[in-house]
Amino acid sequence: QVQLVESGGGLVQTGGSLRLSCAASGRTFNNYAMGWFRQAPGKEREFVQAIARSGRTTYYADSVKGRFTISRDNAKNTVYLQMNSLKPEDTAVYYCAGSDRVTGLDEYEYDNWGQGTQVTVSS
């Protein structure tokens, strides 16, 4: 198991930016593909972005294309989510997740989860 702790959430105005971080500990970080998911009030958790172990391959949801960027620093055991041009509909609790099997787009492919960080975008 790898332990994950998110940080960097907060309140931002429409059009603003935030960078989320997810620090990992416990196991070899570069054995894990990493993903970001989010859950808005009253909605199911949804995929945002994922990155392969090496960092060379990334996947994204259409809703964040061109605005969000996932990256990782294996030397720092950290994955990031840079969020630009934020919209009110981006408001959600954001979770990072790790998988030692696949770089998945489905939450059920991830076994390790952080506690989440709140992102609120005001209009």
Side-chain angles (χ1 to χ4, degrees), residues 26-77:
R27 289 294 182 104
T28 305
F29 180 65
N30 58 10
N31 286 343
Y32 287 81
M34 300 299 295
W36 284 98
F37 293 78
R38 67 186 181 185
Q39 188 168 22
K43 295 187 177 181
E44 294 185 352
R45 189 155 56 187
E46 65 175 3
F47 169 76
V48 177
Q49 287 206 281
I51 187 166
R53 295 169 180 79
S54 65
R56 287 194 292 266
T57 303
T58 62
Y59 302 93
Y60 55 85
D62 287 343
S63 59
V64 304
K65 182 181 179 181
R67 301 189 299 121
F68 291 12
T69 303
I70 191 171
S71 62
R72 66 189 296 161
D73 186 336
N74 286 344
K76 294 183 177 180
N77 292 350

Side-chain angles (χ1 to χ4, degrees), residues 79-118:
V79 62
Y80 304 97
L81 185 67
Q82 178 66 44
M83 306 186 294
N84 298 328
S85 302
L86 282 160
K87 305 175 182 180
E89 51 263 45
D90 295 318
T91 295
V93 177
Y94 282 72
Y95 299 89
C96 74
S99 172
D100 61 359
R101 293 175 286 116
V102 295
T103 308
L105 280 63
D106 191 313
E107 64 177 306
Y108 300 106
E109 296 174 300
Y110 291 84
D111 299 318
N112 304 273
W113 291 85
Q115 82 289 349
T117 185
Q118 176 72 46

Side-chain angles (χ1 to χ4, degrees), residues 3-19:
Q3 288 76 47
L4 304 171
V5 179
E6 302 96 334
S7 61
L11 174 65
V12 64
Q13 292 185 335
T14 296
S17 298
L18 283 174
R19 189 175 81 155

